[in-house]
Amino acid sequence: MILGLAIFGGIFWFLYLTLILYAKQTPEAQVRRRLHILIKRAEESRAKTKSEKLPDKLNDETKKDIQSNSDLLIKKNFSERVFKPILHKFENGLNKLAPTELIKMIEDRIFRAGKQGIWSVSRLAALWVLSFAAGTLSAFMYIRYSQLQFSQNIIILLIGAIVGSVLPFLIMNSKIKERKKALRRQLPEFLDLLCVSVQAGLSFEGAVSKIVSRMKGALVDEFKRMQSDVSLGMPHQYALTQLAKRCDLEEMYLFTSSVIQAERLGTSMSRTLKMQADNMRDRHKQYVKAEALKAPVKIIFPMVIFIFPAIFVVLLFPAILSLMKTLGN
């Protein structure tokens, strides 16, 4: 038992140090770390100023607010009053075990998946810790009830820890790939409608708002978010850049860069969108052809596993039966 716990701790610290070394090599991690320090200092200074400005005695409005909040707490059901705080404390405890660089990687995955505000970073970090612990403990239980050599036990324990730590990222990457496929599939149609709307006399923002109000999909949701960012005061060019980063597609980078360049240089937006729509349509055709060429390679394994055995049974089983009869006679 002590040896298993020691191996478990060694594997955890090895993955921890590997993750830190990998994340510190990227310049984005350094910039994020500096921004996090600046935001933390600003929040501390803001909290100090607020504490200095607060009066010693509460006025009537604050007493009414406290009374209303207490009434709301009384009206909450048992799960909201008991179960959710316990779950929140459990997530915070597991989140402390997760490395900080892992949390940054999870934030990046959530940003690329377009799930900001939907997926919680702390909850996903807690799930990663649980997955790592479950993989390691399952491997340890298998080792305990099997008679293997010491080297084989270590290899099985390493495999369980690696599978448990990699599995959440594999699921997130699969979600990101599915989202990219949906965005790539919808982009040519969206650009055709955008080009037609701009050629009809609408502005770029007006055309986008008109199309967004009548379509649904992952790409439409991203453009809705871009419009909300612009309405909140974000510059239009920066909102387009963030849109391309969230989609993380080469086609979106080309589209947003061409629109930004057309706005800066003052060129014709309709001509730019017409060129981009034609280009995206051609790229989509090439992508479909490439996927069609991959189909024969992908279908080999289902044929070998499911189709060929049935064909062999139908064709060879009667011949084998007749051969067995002749040999028996």
Side-chain angles (χ1 to χ4, degrees):
M1 185 68 183
I2 297 173
L3 180 61
L5 292 174
I7 295 171
F8 174 76
I11 293 170
F12 181 80
W13 283 109
F14 175 74
L15 292 174
Y16 177 79
L17 294 175
T18 305
L19 186 64
I20 289 174
L21 291 174
Y22 173 74
K24 284 186 177 179
Q25 291 177 358
T26 58
E28 295 180 358
Q30 298 177 359
V31 175
R32 287 173 182 170
R33 196 178 297 109
R34 292 175 184 173
L35 289 174
H36 181 71
I37 292 170
L38 292 174
I39 292 169
K40 188 175 180 180
R41 290 177 180 175
E43 288 179 353
E44 289 177 356
S45 63
R46 193 180 302 162
K48 288 180 181 179
T49 54
K50 284 184 178 180
S51 61
E52 291 175 357
K53 291 180 180 179
L54 286 174
D56 295 333
K57 295 183 179 179
L58 295 174
N59 52 14
D60 296 334
E61 294 180 357
T62 54
K63 290 181 180 178
K64 290 180 181 179
D65 293 336
I66 293 171
Q67 186 65 30
S68 62
N69 290 329
S70 62
D71 293 336
L72 288 173
L73 288 173
I74 293 170
K75 291 179 181 179
K76 287 182 179 179
N77 54 14
F78 179 77
S79 64
E80 291 180 352
R81 287 186 287 109
V82 178
F83 184 70
K84 286 185 178 181
I86 294 173
L87 182 62
H88 186 66
K89 290 181 180 179
F90 180 70
E91 289 178 358
N92 291 330
L94 291 178
N95 196 10
K96 291 178 182 179
L97 297 175
T100 56
E101 303 298 338
L102 174 70
I103 296 173
K104 301 299 180 183
M105 291 177 65
I106 292 174
E107 287 179 355
D108 183 67
R109 293 292 189 278
I110 292 173
F111 181 77
R112 295 183 185 278
K115 298 294 184 179
Q116 286 180 322
I118 301 173
W119 291 357
S120 175
V121 179
S122 60
R123 184 163 297 177
L124 290 176
L127 287 175
W128 180 85
V129 175
L130 288 176
S131 177
F132 174 77
T136 308
L137 289 176
S138 60
F140 181 73
M141 295 297 293
Y142 178 78
I143 290 168
R144 187 177 179 182
Y145 293 104
S146 62
Q147 296 178 355
L148 298 174
Q149 296 180 0
F150 181 74
S151 60
Q152 294 176 347
N153 293 333
I154 293 175
I155 292 171
I156 292 171
L157 198 60
L158 285 171
I159 291 171
I162 291 170
V163 170
S165 60
V166 172
L167 186 61
F169 289 101
L170 291 177
I171 295 172
M172 293 176 70
N173 288 332
S174 66
K175 294 292 184 182
I176 292 171
K177 287 181 180 179
E178 291 177 1
R179 179 173 172 272
K180 284 184 178 180
K181 287 182 180 180
L183 292 172
R184 188 178 282 111
R185 193 182 302 115
Q186 197 177 10
L187 182 59
E189 181 183 1
F190 189 89
L191 288 182
D192 289 336
L193 294 174
L194 187 63
C195 177
V196 171
S197 301
V198 173
Q199 287 178 352
L202 292 175
S203 63
F204 181 80
E205 291 81 5
V208 169
S209 61
K210 183 69 70 176
I211 295 169
V212 162
S213 62
R214 299 185 180 183
M215 287 183 67
K216 294 181 180 180
L219 185 64
V220 176
D221 295 335
E222 291 298 330
F223 274 95
K224 284 181 181 178
R225 185 172 179 181
M226 185 199 73
Q227 283 187 330
S228 64
D229 292 339
V230 172
S231 63
L232 290 173
M234 185 182 292
H236 187 256
Q237 296 178 358
Y238 185 73
L240 286 171
T241 305
Q242 292 296 109
L243 171 66
K245 287 183 180 179
R246 287 195 301 271
C247 295
D248 196 19
L249 288 174
E250 186 179 357
E251 292 86 352
M252 286 300 299
Y253 282 113
L254 292 172
F255 166 68
T256 54
S257 61
S258 63
V259 171
I260 291 170
Q261 187 177 3
E263 289 180 352
R264 287 179 179 176
L265 299 177
T267 57
S268 176
M269 184 62 71
S270 61
R271 187 180 300 173
T272 303
L273 292 175
K274 181 69 169 59
M275 293 174 63
Q276 288 298 315
D278 295 337
N279 186 18
M280 295 303 166
R281 184 66 64 182
D282 294 336
R283 292 176 70 93
H284 184 67
K285 289 180 181 178
Q286 293 175 1
Y287 175 76
V288 171
K289 288 180 181 179
E291 292 294 323
L293 292 174
K294 293 178 183 177
V297 179
K298 293 179 179 180
I299 206 172
I300 288 175
F301 297 102
M303 287 180 65
V304 171
I305 296 172
F306 300 106
I307 298 174
F308 285 170
I311 293 174
F312 291 154
V313 169
V314 172
L315 295 178
L316 298 178
F317 192 68
I320 292 170
L321 286 178
S322 63
L323 182 62
M324 290 173 66
K325 288 180 180 180
T326 56
L327 290 175
N329 293 328

